[in-house]
Amino acid sequence: MPALLEEKPNALVPAILALDPLGDDLRVAILVAAEAGFSGVALSVRHPTLAALRTSLTARRHLRHTLASRGLKLACLRCSVPRANGRGIFDSAGVDRCIDEVTAAICLAWEFQAPLVEAYIGEPHSPALPAASFHGAVDALAREADRAGVRVVLASGAVRLLADLLSLVNVPCLQANLDTLRLFTADGGVEESANILAGKIGLWTCADVIRIGGSIRTVELGTGQAHPEKILAVLRNQEFTGPILIDVRDLPDPIHAAHRAAAVLRGIMRRS
């Protein structure tokens, strides 16, 4: 994956695009990513084509060849705690399942030669809980990531608790995902969160939102209140080198949104 600040002559934007919002047809989604000028793609572990790809080494090779022919790589696999139990690792009833989900994603990343796993690990019932209470769960994930040679980035709205957990474990293969949408939903400031997680951020999941009263609505990048140019400035000051992941979930025209996001990021990088 190219570093955040290094634009190759033929690359419009050094970022990766989450393909799942673009539909089930991977061929169409890959074409969108290539035409928009992304350098890599991300897939959810629940994407409907992934199970079939797992059963065939030939199919996996074909996927890599298809991506490479478009100048792309499978850069990231994504997973999250089940919606039925949003506490994830922060709840005794869900911690084992959360660890199993992320471990399975790490194994898939190894099979598909994807260097990064992005994992949403849930929200604690109180962000003031001591990090030491959850050290064992995060340490288990770190061991699995190290064994597979895969980097794992964790997302949660409880930013200070996440920062404390990463400080406790303190290994290069485990970092934070600065997830713009997740942080807005948790009523957190993204720039403030970036400063809290300074030195621990391994991925910026970039989206844009509008807050209307107590609700959050996703919008196309550059049209909302997330101010990606300000977030990028904070990250640059921290010597963050990427990757950036563009997520166009919940938007009415995700293909248009993907092209717009690439153009917005390109403009921000050229101006700064």
Side-chain angles (χ1 to χ4, degrees):
M1 179 63 57
L4 177 65
L5 308 183
E6 296 175 357
E7 287 198 67
K8 299 184 297 183
N10 297 323
L12 296 179
V13 55
I16 59 182
L17 177 66
L19 297 186
D20 298 84
L22 303 178
D24 293 347
D25 191 331
L26 267 187
R27 294 169 298 178
V28 172
I30 289 169
L31 183 60
V32 171
E35 289 180 341
F38 289 93
S39 60
V41 299
L43 273 178
S44 166
V45 296
R46 292 185 175 86
H47 193 281
T49 63
L50 213 58
L53 288 168
R54 281 201 73 183
T55 63
S56 171
L57 177 60
T58 300
R60 294 200 296 274
R61 287 173 176 166
H62 179 69
L63 173 63
R64 287 195 293 270
H65 175 76
T66 301
L67 289 168
S69 70
R70 298 287 184 179
L72 298 166
K73 291 182 179 180
L74 179 57
C76 179
L77 289 180
R78 312 180 75 193
C79 66
S80 63
V81 296
R83 289 186 182 274
N85 190 338
R87 299 294 181 201
I89 69 165
F90 302 113
D91 182 84
S92 57
V95 61
D96 289 339
R97 185 171 181 185
C98 184
I99 291 173
D100 289 345
E101 292 265 341
V102 182
T103 298
I106 291 170
C107 293
L108 273 175
W110 180 84
E111 288 181 27
F112 282 84
Q113 300 180 19
L116 186 68
V117 167
E118 183 264 318
Y120 173 58
I121 57 172
E123 307 295 335
H125 64 80
S126 168
L129 291 170
S133 302
F134 314 106
H135 174 265
V138 176
D139 188 58
L141 297 180
R143 290 196 301 271
E144 293 294 338
D146 184 63
R147 185 178 296 117
V150 172
R151 192 159 51 93
V152 176
V153 290
L154 306 179
S156 175
V159 176
R160 293 188 184 278
L161 180 55
L162 178 59
D164 289 344
L165 277 168
L166 293 172
S167 294
L168 278 177
V169 179
N170 194 28
V171 290
C173 62
L174 204 64
Q175 295 177 296
N177 172 20
L178 189 74
D179 187 329
T180 304
L181 179 58
R182 188 80 59 192
L183 295 171
F184 260 84
T185 303
D187 205 24
V190 183
E191 295 169 61
E192 178 187 2
S193 298
N195 286 319
I196 292 169
L197 292 166
K200 301 178 177 67
I201 300 171
L203 177 71
W204 172 27
T205 298
C206 180
D208 213 339
V209 301
I210 292 177
R211 187 186 299 279
I212 304 173
S215 64
I216 295 292
R217 180 166 65 89
T218 55
V219 295
E220 291 189 351
L221 194 65
T223 65
Q225 301 167 344
H227 303 299
E229 69 284 355
K230 293 182 180 179
I231 300 170
L232 180 60
V234 172
L235 291 174
R236 278 183 161 174
N237 287 335
Q238 298 176 9
E239 299 183 352
F240 170 76
T241 57
I244 298 171
L245 188 148
I246 293 296
D247 192 340
V248 294
R249 70 184 113 164
D250 301 327
L251 294 175
D253 189 346
I255 293 177
H256 180 271
H259 281 272
R260 179 185 173 89
V264 168
L265 274 181
R266 187 187 319 128
I268 292 172
M269 292 177 180
R270 285 177 177 171
R271 290 193 300 271
S272 59

